[in-house]
Amino acid sequence: MFRRTFWFSTGVAAGVWATTKVNRKLRQLTPESLAATAANKALETGQRLKDRAVGFALDVRDNMAQREAELEEALGIDRAPGVVPPRRHAAIENNRSNPQYIENPKYIENTTYSYNRNEDH
């Protein structure tokens, strides 16, 4: 009698365990769960790529400053410590408050030409 009870309870426990494992796996394979997992992986990958790109940009900036210092030393260019190098200006300076733009605009406004490439198709 004791042996039958033992094997019955062992079978019940194995069945409960197997049912639980199958239900967990089925929940993981639902479309919503798969979409959430894919979105999380994409976010993690994007964050890693961003971190690598930022690290690369910082390395490039540091090496560029180091090389510039080497070139200045080799060419004998002395900069005063408080002097900041001149900043570059934007290539296009179309500011509506700029009198030069008002007198001679670089772009034609209110044109009838459409830049929408999809309207012909």
Side-chain angles (χ1 to χ4, degrees):
M1 178 79 174
F2 181 71
R3 214 179 336 173
R4 286 183 181 169
T5 305
F6 171 75
W7 286 114
F8 177 75
S9 57
T10 303
V12 168
V16 168
W17 177 79
T19 304
T20 304
K21 291 290 260 183
V22 168
N23 284 336
R24 280 187 193 158
K25 192 51 110 175
L26 286 176
R27 265 188 260 122
Q28 286 178 352
L29 296 176
T30 61
E32 296 85 14
S33 178
L34 290 174
T37 303
N40 288 339
K41 296 273 186 187
L43 288 174
E44 291 171 7
T45 303
Q47 185 66 33
R48 275 190 308 223
L49 287 174
K50 181 188 143 226
D51 291 343
R52 288 181 184 175
V54 168
F56 177 72
L58 291 175
D59 288 345
V60 167
R61 186 179 297 159
D62 291 343
N63 290 333
M64 185 174 60
Q66 179 184 356
R67 181 64 177 149
E68 186 176 342
E70 291 172 1
L71 289 172
E72 287 175 356
E73 182 181 332
L75 295 173
I77 300 173
D78 291 328
R79 278 203 182 135
V83 177
V84 178
R87 297 194 132 247
R88 295 189 176 112
H89 297 287
I92 299 174
E93 297 177 4
N94 281 343
N95 186 354
R96 294 187 186 276
S97 62
N98 187 353
Q100 179 184 3
Y101 174 75
I102 294 171
E103 294 169 5
N104 185 15
K106 295 181 183 175
Y107 297 106
I108 299 172
E109 294 181 5
N110 300 328
T111 181
T112 59
Y113 180 75
S114 172
Y115 290 99
N116 185 0
R117 299 292 182 215
N118 293 325
E119 72 180 13
D120 293 338
H121 302 286

